[in-house]
Amino acid sequence: MTPSLPGARRAAVISLTAGALLAVSALASPAQAATAPSISGKGGFVLNNATGATVYSKTADTRRQMASTTKIMTAAVVLSTKGVDLNRKVTVKQAYRDYVAKQGASTADLRTGDKVTVRQLLYGTMLPSGCDAAYALADTFGTGSTNAARTKSFIAKMNAKATELKLTNTKFDSFDGISQAGNNYTTPRDLAKIAQYAMKNSNFRAVVKATSYKSTAPTSTGGTRTYTWYNTNKLLGSYNGAIGIKTGTGTAAGPCLVFAATRGTKTLVGVVLNGSDRYKDAAKLLDYGFGSSTAKTMKLRSLPADAQSD
């Protein structure tokens, strides 16, 4: 593990540990600023989406809680399911609402008996960070005869995907980031790799770049309900080129943000874990990667009063 080091000294360590080839490529890039920024996050990481090359690193391999950024893997597992039908209808169970109420968790406010599609559940999971929507996905795509068995099966699929991606410092015991045993962890580097993998899917990209989503669903009484969700990720619409990805906040995890932005032909994917100023951190890290200075003047997008926060 590399301890947190200030300013240019940290940048020098990163260059040495990343290997000569990476150091040469970083020096050869005229777009990247010379000095790595200081961030509030206890952990941070940025990679070049196309090459996987490290752009920035701070305690990148230290295991930390990840809160609702867990839902990136939830969505990725669903979307990587062979033959997945995004228009498949799922009936909302009372258990999903009860779970959110018991946990005091962020919610998509799904109503019992409504028939929503898998696509709607993905938006409900990723935009308002709905733990009820994430529960519905885990219950639908897991196997077993009970809710508990199916969600356990789904979490096993999340861990299998982490193994497939060769992530040795990531473990899931939750489908939404609410971890009773605290055994739901990752590192900035691993989480960036999960995000990089998820962003390969066009449906995932469409979901996480949306600032809001409005749709309808049939109710159990034959009526129609309208759902409107707002993305808790305030970087969208605030930082030029931002295209996602997911917020997360927890008592143990602190404020977290997984983010991505594209400028020209270059896309960067990054992570801030336990950062008191996560949006400013993300903007500074993206500026560092793009060789720009827009973080100083960035004004965060406001969310409606009735929007979820995460």
Side-chain angles (χ1 to χ4, degrees):
M1 270 173 223
T2 304
S4 176
L5 297 173
R9 186 181 169 198
R10 179 173 63 239
V13 173
I14 293 165
S15 295
L16 288 169
T17 56
L21 182 61
L22 185 57
V24 170
S25 66
L27 290 170
S29 173
Q32 188 162 309
T35 306
S38 174
I39 63 171
S40 71
K42 292 183 178 179
F45 193 78
V46 179
L47 57 78
N48 182 305
N49 187 59
T51 65
T54 299
V55 174
Y56 173 91
S57 177
K58 176 183 178 181
T59 60
D61 301 307
T62 299
R63 294 176 177 179
R64 300 186 185 280
Q65 294 282 315
M66 58 182 134
S68 283
T69 63
T70 296
K71 292 166 182 160
I72 297 170
M73 184 62 99
T74 304
V77 168
V78 169
L79 288 167
S80 65
T81 301
K82 187 175 180 180
V84 62
D85 178 7
L86 298 186
N87 296 316
R88 174 183 175 183
K89 293 288 181 66
V90 175
T91 301
V92 177
K93 297 178 181 179
Q94 182 63 35
Y96 308 156
R97 290 183 61 85
D98 291 345
Y99 170 77
V100 166
K102 181 180 179 181
Q103 299 296 335
S106 50
T107 176
D109 197 22
L110 299 177
R111 300 304 177 93
T112 304
D114 285 5
K115 295 185 185 305
V116 295
T117 66
V118 170
R119 189 188 308 276
Q120 288 173 310
L121 288 173
L122 287 168
Y123 277 95
T125 297
M126 300 303 286
L127 270 63
S129 200
C131 294
D132 46 353
Y135 189 169
L137 288 173
D139 188 33
T140 300
F141 287 87
T143 56
S145 58
T146 64
N147 288 1
R150 287 188 291 272
T151 53
K152 183 178 180 180
S153 160
F154 186 84
I155 293 166
K157 292 182 180 183
M158 295 169 71
N159 283 310
K161 182 62 70 176
T163 300
E164 178 188 320
L165 296 175
K166 297 180 171 58
L167 307 179
T168 57
N169 287 309
T170 296
K171 185 173 183 180
F172 298 100
D173 70 356
S174 164
F175 51 77
D176 59 2
I178 298 174
S179 174
Q180 303 304 327
N183 213 14
N184 195 82
Y185 57 80
T186 189
T187 66
R189 188 191 309 274
D190 276 9
L191 190 49
K193 288 180 179 179
I194 293 170
Q196 182 188 27
Y197 167 77
M199 290 292 278
K200 291 178 181 178
N201 185 286
S202 60
N203 288 303
F204 182 88
R205 294 196 302 272
V207 170
V208 298
K209 77 175 183 180
T211 54
S212 64
Y213 182 75
K214 187 175 183 178
S215 63
T216 59
T219 68
S220 59
T221 58
T224 300
R225 193 184 315 281
T226 299
Y227 285 100
T228 303
W229 296 311
Y230 299 97
N231 200 323
T232 58
N233 179 9
K234 295 181 183 179
L235 200 67
L236 293 169
S238 304
Y239 186 88
N240 182 31
I243 56 172
I245 297 176
K246 185 73 188 74
T247 56
T249 304
T251 303
C256 303
L257 182 65
V258 180
F259 54 92
T262 298
R263 289 187 179 176
T265 59
K266 189 175 187 179
T267 297
L268 300 174
V269 174
V271 173
V272 171
L273 294 182
N274 206 337
S276 59
D277 200 358
R278 56 184 170 174
Y279 294 112
K280 191 66 172 288
D281 285 351
K284 288 196 292 185
L285 292 177
L286 288 168
D287 273 355
Y288 176 60
F290 289 129
S292 57
S293 57
T294 51
K296 296 176 183 177
T297 56
M298 182 182 74
K299 293 183 179 180
L300 284 180
R301 173 176 61 92
S302 297
L303 295 177
D306 60 344
Q308 293 289 300
S309 59
D310 182 28

